[in-house]
Amino acid sequence: MELPDHMLDILNIAACLGSTFEQRLLQFAWSKFFNATIDLNSNYDFESAIDDLIKQEVLVKISETPPRIGWVHDKIHEAAIALVSPSERQKYYSRVGEILASELTEDELDSAIFVIVDLLKGSSTGNLDDPERFKRARLNLKASQKAVRLSAFESAAKYAGEGIALLPGTAWDDDYELCLGLYSIGAKAESFVGNVVVMEKYCQAVLAQEHKPIEDKFDVYNTLVDNIANQGK
């Protein structure tokens, strides 16, 4: 089955968004990535392309409100991923992640935060300047906070850890609130999954901020006390 270029472009973007995704998010990322315009009078507009891909049993509509789409089979998803060469794939994913992070509203960003952070995480951080490091770390903090709300503590720990790894050496001085948030939520999440050594390391980083208000440290004190209680001490 050969598909026209515009459909392959849509599948390229869809492959980045996971096994299921909102149609609106796919349309937004595709239009920004390719600077596409939606021509309602054209046979090649986005919605017509999606309908054709569903008819050809490449994609399947999972729900109507809001419209959500998935892949008919994992193998098709894998084939769509392979449309972008391995050497270019991470650059491609990062570009999609950057578009979503920069262009979505606050509510839309919260809805898609896991997808965005996962798209960005594989890119090289060696050449990032400090403002970009802080921007990505804030996204990781958002992802970690959302994961905690969902009681997904393993994911919360992962996102917090990735956010902390992005912080430059002067981060506590440059953006205290961001550091406090990442280390506090990271300590809580690591405690829930039983990583006591990492939890204590994060707590000590917060407690080491000697000239900051004691109330800023309540979360990590609570985490430490809960851990002691759980050990029967």
Side-chain angles (χ1 to χ4, degrees):
M1 174 180 61
E2 268 199 48
L3 297 173
D5 288 344
H6 71 288
M7 288 190 185
L8 292 177
D9 289 342
I10 290 172
L11 292 180
N12 283 342
I13 301 297
C16 301
L17 301 181
S19 57
T20 68
F21 40 87
E22 285 188 23
Q23 181 172 320
R24 173 194 55 79
L25 190 65
L26 172 59
Q27 181 173 356
F28 181 86
W30 167 78
S31 64
K32 293 291 183 181
F33 192 101
F34 293 104
N35 294 317
T37 56
I38 310 304
D39 182 357
L40 298 179
N41 298 314
S42 167
N43 290 328
Y44 297 99
D45 71 84
F46 178 84
E47 292 191 7
S48 294
I50 291 296
D51 288 343
D52 286 344
L53 288 166
I54 291 172
K55 287 173 185 173
Q56 295 186 49
E57 298 185 340
V58 176
L59 300 175
V60 60
K61 186 160 283 189
I62 296 172
S63 65
E64 291 289 345
T65 309
R68 191 168 186 85
I69 297 172
W71 301 89
V72 169
H73 196 280
D74 289 345
K75 293 294 183 184
I76 297 177
H77 186 194
E78 291 170 10
I81 291 172
L83 290 171
V84 179
S85 68
S87 62
E88 293 295 317
R89 195 169 297 153
Q90 190 51 61
K91 189 186 300 183
Y92 193 96
Y93 283 16
S94 294
R95 176 64 184 134
V96 175
E98 287 164 2
I99 288 170
L100 295 176
S102 300
E103 302 275 354
L104 294 180
T105 67
E106 196 65 26
D107 287 344
E108 290 170 332
L109 188 66
D110 183 71
S111 176
I113 191 64
F114 297 147
V115 171
I116 293 168
V117 171
D118 289 341
L119 285 170
L120 292 172
K121 73 177 179 181
S123 60
S124 171
T125 59
N127 296 324
L128 294 180
D129 59 18
D130 285 359
E132 185 61 26
R133 284 178 172 274
F134 281 123
K135 179 181 175 182
R136 293 196 183 187
R138 288 186 199 99
L139 292 171
N140 275 277
L141 177 57
K142 272 184 174 293
S144 187
Q145 290 168 332
K146 183 173 182 178
V148 166
R149 293 198 302 271
L150 298 172
S151 297
F153 293 105
E154 190 169 336
S155 294
K158 178 190 75 168
Y159 290 129
E162 289 169 356
I164 289 168
L166 283 162
L167 296 172
T170 58
W172 279 104
D173 293 324
D174 296 338
D175 197 329
Y176 170 74
E177 292 298 330
L178 172 61
C179 293
L180 179 65
L182 280 169
Y183 278 91
S184 298
I185 203 165
K188 179 178 181 179
E190 294 290 0
S191 177
F192 267 94
V193 299
N195 292 334
V196 176
V197 173
V198 179
M199 178 272 291
E200 290 180 343
K201 176 183 172 184
Y202 289 169
C203 288
Q204 291 307 319
V206 175
L207 298 178
Q209 309 308 309
E210 295 178 356
H211 303 296
K212 297 300 182 181
I214 187 68
E215 54 266 27
D216 287 358
K217 304 173 184 180
F218 284 168
D219 280 350
V220 297
Y221 277 127
N222 285 334
T223 298
L224 286 168
V225 169
D226 287 345
N227 182 65
I228 291 169
N230 290 337
Q231 293 180 52
K233 299 180 181 179

